[in-house]
Amino acid sequence: MFSSPNEDRAVRISTRQERGALVLTVSGDLDIDSVAPLGLALTSAAADGSGPVVVDLSGVGFADSTTVNVLLQGHTALRDRLRLAAPSPFMRRLIDIIGLDSALSVLPTVDDAIDAVLPS
């Protein structure tokens, strides 16, 4: 598990393997002070495997532009292996406002993200 050094931010990232995919479940508020563990988890996933990497965003209450940058860097490293899943209402709004779903795969559920066949 990856977590923020600033524990009052309550950012948690748990990892699990499910049906050939690495699932990163993210919870808490992600900003410049707390997003580093997500970047580390994505970097580790890029180095360690070849299957899909699903970022479950259902527990994210807030995210800033630093988080968007980390996700785009993750996409650069993982390419179509990276899939965002189950965005919280805040994340859904952020994704829609900035058009992040034009660059990254965003699916409604973790199961959909695991099972998605994406172009390579």
Side-chain angles (χ1 to χ4, degrees), residues 36-48:
L38 178 58
L40 291 172
L42 292 172
T43 300
S44 177
D48 291 344

Side-chain angles (χ1 to χ4, degrees), residues 90-101:
F90 180 89
M91 285 303 300
R92 180 78 257 171
R93 181 166 163 77
L94 179 64
I95 289 165
D96 290 345
I97 288 171
I98 65 171
L100 190 59
D101 52 354

Side-chain angles (χ1 to χ4, degrees), residues 102-113:
S102 67
L104 302 176
S105 297
V106 181
L107 295 121
T109 70
V110 170
D111 284 337
D112 289 340

Side-chain angles (χ1 to χ4, degrees), residues 15-110:
T15 61
R16 71 179 188 278
Q17 289 288 328
E18 187 174 331
R19 300 192 321 270
L22 174 64
V23 179
L24 307 174
T25 302
V26 183
S27 63
D29 293 346
L30 296 168
D31 63 20
I32 193 168
D33 294 323
S34 64
V35 76
L38 178 58
L40 291 172
L42 292 172
T43 300
S44 177
D48 291 344
S50 61
V53 177
V54 176
V55 181
D56 177 355
L57 298 170
S58 61
V60 175
F62 174 81
D64 66 2
S65 61
T66 310
T67 305
V68 173
N69 189 38
V70 165
L71 292 171
L72 290 170
Q73 289 175 2
H75 181 259
T76 299
L78 291 160
R79 302 164 60 64
D80 287 336
R81 291 177 51 210
L82 180 63
R83 299 144 189 214
L84 307 183
S88 66
F90 180 89
M91 285 303 300
R92 180 78 257 171
R93 181 166 163 77
L94 179 64
I95 289 165
D96 290 345
I97 288 171
I98 65 171
L100 190 59
D101 52 354
S102 67
L104 302 176
S105 297
V106 181
L107 295 121
T109 70
V110 170

